[in-house]
Amino acid sequence: MVTRIPRHEFRTDNAGELMAPIRHDQFDKLWRREDGGFLVVVEAKSTVDTRLWKRDVPTPDGKRAAMQGTRKYFMDILAHMRSRGRDFPSERVLARELTTALARGKVHCILVKGKVDGGQSAGYEKQQFDID
């Protein structure tokens, strides 16, 4: 069994008021599993034709591109969550939980892309990433 973690549950200000969702530097969806692990939808794309994004991530010798679905990309998102944790402690806590789950091999990252047929939904395609 998995439990979805809505964005508003881990994105509140210090008074507990809901914040507008961030549109970047976060995972599209998160689910918590009963075994303490996470199922992370790294990216949800509208159609099978939508491409994955790349981002520049800091490296000791400068910045390098990291593609969605890679460990580098995943770790960069966690770094942004920890940084936001100064203002939003729940983000820091969630980043810590994800880091621990990743170290235990309990994080599963997937890509979901919608399929369409003549303007109608025709299901979806799913791909699992290897970020270990």
Side-chain angles (χ1 to χ4, degrees):
M1 171 139 185
V2 294
T3 305
R4 181 168 181 256
I5 304 171
R7 283 187 189 182
H8 69 267
E9 282 189 15
F10 62 91
R11 186 78 183 115
T12 61
D13 70 8
N14 292 331
E17 295 178 17
L18 301 181
M19 300 290 293
I22 298 170
R23 302 269 183 236
H24 53 84
D25 299 331
Q26 67 184 25
F27 302 110
D28 280 352
K29 306 283 182 198
L30 289 173
W31 282 271
R32 187 185 315 273
R33 296 189 331 227
E34 287 181 349
D35 67 357
F38 288 89
L39 173 67
V40 180
V41 176
V42 172
E43 195 57 47
K45 302 292 185 186
S46 57
T47 69
V48 294
D49 297 326
T50 308
R51 294 183 177 178
L52 293 176
W53 287 95
K54 288 190 278 187
R55 65 173 42 227
D56 287 334
V57 298
T59 61
D61 59 344
K63 291 189 173 191
R64 299 261 168 87
M67 183 72 78
Q68 287 176 316
T70 65
R71 187 178 183 98
K72 275 187 194 178
Y73 190 96
F74 187 90
M75 298 306 288
D76 191 56
I77 296 292
L78 291 180
H80 284 281
M81 291 174 70
R82 283 190 292 273
S83 178
R84 287 191 302 266
R86 288 188 291 267
D87 296 319
F88 306 100
S90 56
E91 290 249 332
R92 184 179 54 245
V93 170
L94 186 57
R96 192 176 307 132
E97 289 178 28
L98 284 163
T99 301
T100 300
L102 181 64
R104 294 178 178 161
K106 293 185 177 270
V107 173
H108 301 280
C109 293
I110 61 173
L111 166 69
V112 177
K113 291 184 173 188
K115 294 169 68 176
V116 294
D117 181 17
Q120 298 292 318
S121 175
Y124 64 92
E125 288 184 5
K126 181 180 88 168
Q127 172 187 347
Q128 183 160 340
F129 296 114
D130 181 8
I131 61 165
D132 291 329

